[in-house]
Amino acid sequence: MSENKKPTLSMEELVSYAKRRGFVFQASEIYGGIAGFYDFGPYGVELKNNLKRAWWESMVYANPNIVGLDSAIIQNPKVWEASGHTERFSDPMIDCKACKKRYRADKMADIDSTDAAELIAALKGVTCPNCGKEDWTEPREFNLLMETSLGAVEGDKAAAYLRGETCQGIYTNFANVVDTARRKLPFGIAQIGKAFRNEITPGDFLFRQREFEQMELQMFVLPSQAGEVYADWKERRMAWHQRYFTKTKLRFREHGANERAHYAKEAWDIEYDYPFGFKEVEGIHNRGDWDLSRHSKYSGKDLTYFDEATGEHVTPWVVETSVGADRLFMEALLDAYDEEEVNGEKRVVMRFHKDLAPIKVAILPLSKKPELSGLAQKVYASLGGKYSLEYDETQSIGRRYRRQDEIGTPYCVTVDFDSLEDKAVTVRDRDTMVQERITIAELPDYLKEKLS
Ligand code: ATP
């Protein structure tokens, strides 16, 4: 089936599939849930880990000039003053005066601007989706940083923030990494971690949550290197998405002047074609010297770099690539979904790239008879510990194949009565449904090669 003809899931179908197949559950579901938070189930955690691993390998392992970091979620509150977040990390909000519902003004106006006058002008003729009236308040700014407090004694607690983005921990460790990892510019620090934002209107499933995960690379460069490094990473990040996902569902979008952070020299998004249209999954930004110069100013520490070539101290510029693991997770589910007709019946198959598939191999004894279970468990043990496996002996073999297709397992290994005699098993390929007989002794190497 050609890529373009693949059926697309609606949002409702996506959410329902993700729950039914154990990928994503609403957080605290038994208590009615909590808006903007989700839990990842048994297959979801595998898929998410695989996405994170694929990113980490392509960043940290594939590039000699990139190192990893895992910084704390809570930092000294001064970090957020220096970064500008306490002052201006906000979204413009409007309330419907008639029904009191609150919305993000830029989204309602459908413009990429936070300028109040432009928003008011664009909101002419826009009615409240809830009550149908057109009676808006002026746009007002709401800070997105999530507050918490430190200390056990009531009345003696210090305010702090959960990080609104992971990159600040990278900037504050710039000098530590230069000193200990002995890297020359241009070099990068990569990090994967949770970020928190008090999104006023969380929604679109994992797309806009209050707790989410970011995977960020910050390249530190000499100002003269920034243009080249930016162009390079812009292409490399798109190529990474295209390696795993459908090309025609991905595109670049340049930020408009009003949308760009005031310090940003250049900003492009990589967008994916979600059920609600092309939207940002990743941002690629040339941030100039804003980050290190601000942290230097607020901390009083020297965060310059000694350029041996010129004998001068310079404040490095930052080129950033920032992708949301959760938006990527949605991209992976939507992109993998496929349906086809096989012998007059609909087959749903998740065509995950083998590196991303949550379960790599399913071991399926043809029946629950002890002699078959015993052998199948031995087969499991011979593969166990190397990658994610599933053992399933319930229901008919046809239904079990369909179940594995629906979670995108690349290979099913069936142990049947002949296996007791010929010491071989049947390996079924998810995409072609072709079956091959492989000896149990050769199976570990056979699968290793197929999955590598
Ligand atoms: P948006 O304009 O959609 O609010 P943003 O431009 O604020 O996003 P960045 O601050 O550039 O996003 O964050 C980098 C990445 O983090 C985004 O490309 C996105 O994938 C992810 N991200 C940001 N906010 C959220 C959120 N509330 N829920 C899930 N992922 C998010």
Side-chain angles (χ1 to χ4, degrees):
M1 193 177 264
S2 95
E3 278 195 334
N4 294 336
K5 293 220 186 89
K6 266 174 44 176
T8 43
L9 286 175
S10 69
M11 272 314 267
E12 294 71 29
E13 287 164 341
L14 174 70
V15 174
S16 135
Y17 165 83
K19 178 171 182 196
R20 200 174 63 243
R21 287 287 164 231
F23 281 84
V24 182
F25 309 122
Q26 219 188 348
S28 328
E29 192 185 333
I30 59 168
Y31 292 101
I34 172 167
F37 297 87
Y38 286 92
D39 296 335
F40 290 81
Y43 300 130
V45 65
E46 294 294 341
L47 174 58
K48 206 170 186 207
N49 282 344
N50 293 342
L51 286 164
K52 291 193 274 187
R53 189 176 309 113
W55 183 88
W56 190 266
E57 284 177 3
S58 77
M59 291 295 179
V60 183
Y61 297 170
N63 297 290
N65 62 340
I66 297 178
V67 293
L69 181 83
D70 185 11
S71 68
I73 284 173
I74 294 177
Q75 302 279 346
N76 187 310
K78 284 207 180 117
V79 167
W80 305 106
E81 278 174 43
S83 68
H85 279 77
T86 41
E87 200 185 327
R88 60 171 112 221
F89 186 48
S90 56
D91 280 336
M93 304 301 299
I94 43 169
D95 294 338
C96 170
K97 287 189 204 158
C99 74
K100 310 287 178 234
K101 271 250 177 199
R102 180 166 290 169
Y103 302 95
R104 253 180 81 167
D106 55 332
K107 301 288 172 204
M108 286 304 285
D110 199 21
I111 55 167
D112 293 323
S113 170
T114 52
D115 181 83
E118 284 181 29
L119 287 169
I120 291 167
L123 281 164
K124 291 262 176 320
V126 176
T127 53
C128 173
N130 187 47
C131 71
K133 302 257 164 56
E134 187 193 332
D135 194 4
W136 302 113
T137 62
E138 301 251 304
R140 284 176 299 164
E141 299 287 323
F142 279 81
N143 196 286
L144 299 182
L145 275 182
M146 214 180 266
E147 283 182 40
T148 185
S149 53
L150 308 177
V153 183
E154 209 50 58
D156 195 18
K157 289 187 177 177
Y161 302 101
L162 304 185
R163 65 182 172 200
E165 58 186 22
T166 53
C167 55
Q168 296 304 325
I170 295 183
Y171 307 138
T172 55
N173 277 295
F174 169 73
N176 285 336
V177 175
V178 171
D179 290 348
T180 56
R182 305 169 58 79
R183 288 295 189 286
K184 288 207 161 76
L185 297 190
F187 80 88
I189 304 180
Q191 171 162 235
I192 299 177
K194 292 271 187 175
F196 301 81
R197 293 183 189 178
N198 236 333
E199 300 278 2
I200 313 290
T201 44
D204 290 331
F205 195 33
L206 308 177
F207 189 85
R208 191 168 301 287
Q209 298 171 84
R210 291 176 167 147
E211 172 180 341
F212 56 98
E213 244 174 323
Q214 290 185 315
M215 309 200 284
E216 299 198 300
L217 167 71
Q218 309 293 319
M219 288 298 295
F220 297 96
V221 300
L222 292 171
S224 60
Q225 298 164 335
E228 198 181 321
V229 171
Y230 186 90
D232 182 36
W233 277 102
K234 187 172 156 232
E235 294 312 316
R236 284 174 73 174
R237 289 307 303 152
M238 180 57 104
W240 187 88
H241 285 266
Q242 290 177 347
R243 177 176 148 80
Y244 297 106
F245 311 116
T246 310
K247 282 196 177 111
T248 50
K249 295 202 163 237
L250 288 157
R251 72 174 190 197
F252 279 122
R253 187 181 70 85
E254 188 170 19
H255 280 206
N258 284 332
E259 190 188 358
R260 222 165 40 215
H262 60 99
Y263 49 81
K265 307 272 184 232
E266 193 171 358
W268 289 76
D269 288 341
I270 293 176
E271 296 189 330
Y272 184 76
D273 189 5
Y274 291 100
F276 39 88
F278 274 96
K279 289 279 182 270
E280 169 179 352
V281 57
E282 172 152 4
I284 302 153
H285 312 123
N286 175 350
R287 302 172 62 110
D289 71 356
W290 163 260
D291 304 291
L292 291 186
S293 59
R294 287 281 287 198
H295 281 299
S296 179
K297 184 172 158 202
Y298 277 71
S299 67
K301 298 284 187 304
D302 178 12
L303 298 179
T304 58
Y305 172 86
F306 181 67
D307 183 6
E308 281 168 11
T310 60
E312 284 175 11
H313 287 270
V314 279
T315 300
W317 283 24
V318 167
V319 170
E320 158 189 86
T321 74
S322 175
V323 59
D326 310 81
R327 289 187 189 179
L328 193 59
F329 185 98
M330 274 174 77
E331 180 178 340
L333 285 182
L334 290 164
D335 214 83
Y337 187 83
D338 199 5
E339 287 172 6
E340 62 184 6
E341 209 181 284
V342 178
N343 301 332
E345 277 191 38
K346 184 171 94 171
R347 177 172 95 115
V348 170
V349 51
M350 296 298 278
R351 299 197 190 275
F352 289 120
H353 186 285
K354 63 180 168 38
D355 293 352
L356 303 183
I359 300 292
K360 307 293 186 212
V361 180
I363 314 290
L364 313 172
L366 200 62
S367 94
K368 278 191 211 161
K369 292 243 162 61
E371 57 270 39
L372 282 198
S373 295
L375 184 58
Q377 277 160 22
K378 276 194 193 132
V379 171
Y380 187 109
S382 75
L383 304 171
K386 300 191 182 70
Y387 33 71
S388 55
L389 296 173
E390 191 160 274
Y391 184 90
D392 186 4
E393 56 181 21
T394 57
Q395 301 183 317
S396 74
I397 192 70
R399 292 184 79 154
R400 279 182 279 164
Y401 281 153
R402 274 204 294 283
R403 203 183 113 79
Q404 294 302 327
D405 287 343
E406 277 197 39
I407 58 166
T409 306
Y411 299 102
C412 286
V413 172
T414 309
V415 180
D416 55 27
F417 289 99
D418 288 343
S419 306
L420 298 170
E421 305 303 324
D422 67 0
K423 304 278 178 283
V425 288
T426 300
V427 180
R428 172 187 179 269
D429 181 292
R430 174 195 72 196
D431 294 329
T432 60
M433 291 184 286
V434 168
Q435 306 196 359
E436 230 185 311
R437 199 78 182 158
I438 305 289
T439 66
I440 293 172
E442 284 168 340
L443 188 65
D445 283 346
Y446 172 89
L447 288 172
K448 192 174 158 198
E449 202 188 308
K450 287 274 188 194
L451 291 166
S452 63

